Amino acid sequence: LSRYNDKLNRKLLAVDDLPEGYEVALRTIQAEIDLFCEENIPLLVDEYQCGLNYNRIIGLQTVTWNGEEVTITQLSGIAAQLERPKREEAWRLGSQRVLEDREAINANWIEVLKLRQQIAQNAGYDSYRDYAWLMRGRFDYTPADSETFHAAIEKIVVPAAARVYEHFREQLGVDTLRPWDLNVNPMRATDIDLDPLGRPALTPFADVDTLVAKVQIVFDSVDPELGAYFKQMEQNQMLDLANTRGKAPGAYCTTYPITGSPFIFMNAVGKHNDLQTMLHESGHAFHAFETLNLPYLHQRDYPLEFAEVASMAMELLAAPYLETFYTPEDAARARIEHLQGILLFWPYMAVVDAFQHWAYTHVEEALDPNNCDAKWAELWQRFIVGVDYTGLEEDMKTGWHRKQHIHRSPFYYIEYGLAQLGAVQVWANSLENQTAALTAYRQALSLGGTAKLPDLYSAAGARLAFDADTLNQAVDLVETTIHGLGQV
């Protein structure tokens, strides 16, 4: 497939008179030609196999809880409803099981790091970071911009996240906040999935028919045209939402290339996260609908940094209408938890991204897993302020083992951080003038891949930003909204 894709790319570039609106797509096509290297094909297969091996290692991690064998994820669901001592017991049990695979993950990392460096060198690049930058189509920002973003997050968001952690600690009435006070799944280090006031979990719907009917009301309220898109998906049976026995895990939105119809796949069981996922994936679906006006395949291939603006913005734009599902009190609680999650995510994203910048520019050092542990611990202490890992240093510094993007999708993570900042800007615009904000949002989506990344953000009424001032405005809005809703 790589060989045939390269042949097609070269034939396309040889066309003298390409259609209007192909200029941006040509950058990606040229990059694919520049990166293609026959010698790398077997190495890329080996790299893919390393990713599968990592998945196999993680997938086999189970523990025995109350006499029953459960996965780490299943354990977190069970233990989230338990008292704090039992949550700690579950967290330690799960984390110890992850640590048992330390040597296996280290060995896999050494192999894949060597492969990636060789792939880059074969393609003519000294650093895999330079290779990955082109592979991911990052033409409109640089590694230095990413590092500027890290510094801005440290300055602006880390103190805000620390305030969230401190508020959570106060609600729990504990001396220090421990990792099992956030989430009993040691693979998800910064999520808050536990309610400090001991309230039952939010349950917005009992069945997917109710979910669909009520989400329809939400989208009709956000924008009637978006509501019409969602109605079309329902009528065309493009929604597969219920969790059933034997169904593949996860959630996604894909688009069928012939019909142009988006399709949403989920595993909904009635949790608030299912509702949030529905809103998120629908944002991707609306993106697909808006690009149907573009006639050519490459024009519908938009950058991930903006694709996630479409989805993350929809979560925020729909949030004022959550009373369709909840009482006013529960709707406020759901919105607060979402906004707190935004503040906690940016610092964690910076840890993941900064670790990869270090690893691929210091390959000889990174080939020693002990150095990786030390770098992750350094970054963790820099960005995650307010969670006490005393006595859990081995668990903390092997956090890079627990982030699959590092092992399977190198340099794929900053997209979420940039898009979240863009989404907050779109949301801010909607608070001033919802009609104008939605018009700009939809117009930006309709551009697909015919405009450069900064121009897509601009069309949506936002700015592709890495600076502290823009982050400060976003954080201020998030915190002000949280306080306005009431710190619950």
Side-chain angles (χ1 to χ4, degrees), residues 298-452:
H298 295 99
Q299 294 177 332
R300 300 181 187 181
D301 185 14
Y302 34 79
L304 287 168
E305 292 90 342
F306 190 69
E308 294 301 335
V309 173
S311 55
M312 291 177 168
M314 187 46 55
E315 295 179 57
L316 291 164
L317 292 168
Y321 307 101
L322 289 183
E323 289 184 26
T324 304
F325 288 88
Y326 295 122
T327 64
E329 293 75 17
D330 281 348
R333 174 185 165 191
R335 292 188 67 187
I336 288 171
E337 290 176 359
H338 178 208
L339 294 170
Q340 288 174 330
I342 291 174
L343 296 177
L344 300 186
F345 171 73
W346 271 317
Y348 179 67
M349 183 282 302
V351 175
V352 174
D353 193 55
F355 176 84
Q356 296 188 90
H357 280 265
W358 168 80
Y360 294 105
T361 56
H362 299 78
V363 175
E364 291 304 316
E365 292 179 50
L367 284 170
D368 183 345
N370 291 322
N371 292 334
C372 295
D373 291 348
K375 174 55 68 172
W376 183 270
E378 173 194 323
L379 292 167
W380 192 264
Q381 291 160 356
R382 175 184 168 191
F383 288 101
I384 310 298
V385 177
V387 185
D388 181 9
Y389 273 80
T390 302
L392 304 169
E393 288 78 10
E394 296 302 307
D395 309 84
M396 181 266 285
K397 69 185 183 182
T398 53
W400 63 282
H401 280 187
R402 307 167 192 227
K403 191 58 186 168
Q404 63 97 3
H405 295 74
I406 292 172
H407 303 272
R408 296 212 62 191
S409 304
F411 280 103
Y412 176 38
Y413 211 58
I414 195 172
E415 289 89 343
Y416 293 116
L418 295 173
Q420 188 68 79
L421 184 53
V424 172
Q425 293 176 74
V426 172
W427 170 46
N429 294 339
S430 75
L431 299 177
E432 297 292 328
N433 186 324
Q434 175 154 324
T435 300
L438 265 294
T439 298
Y441 168 80
R442 290 182 52 210
Q443 169 61 23
L445 300 191
S446 72
L447 294 173
T450 65
K452 295 180 180 179

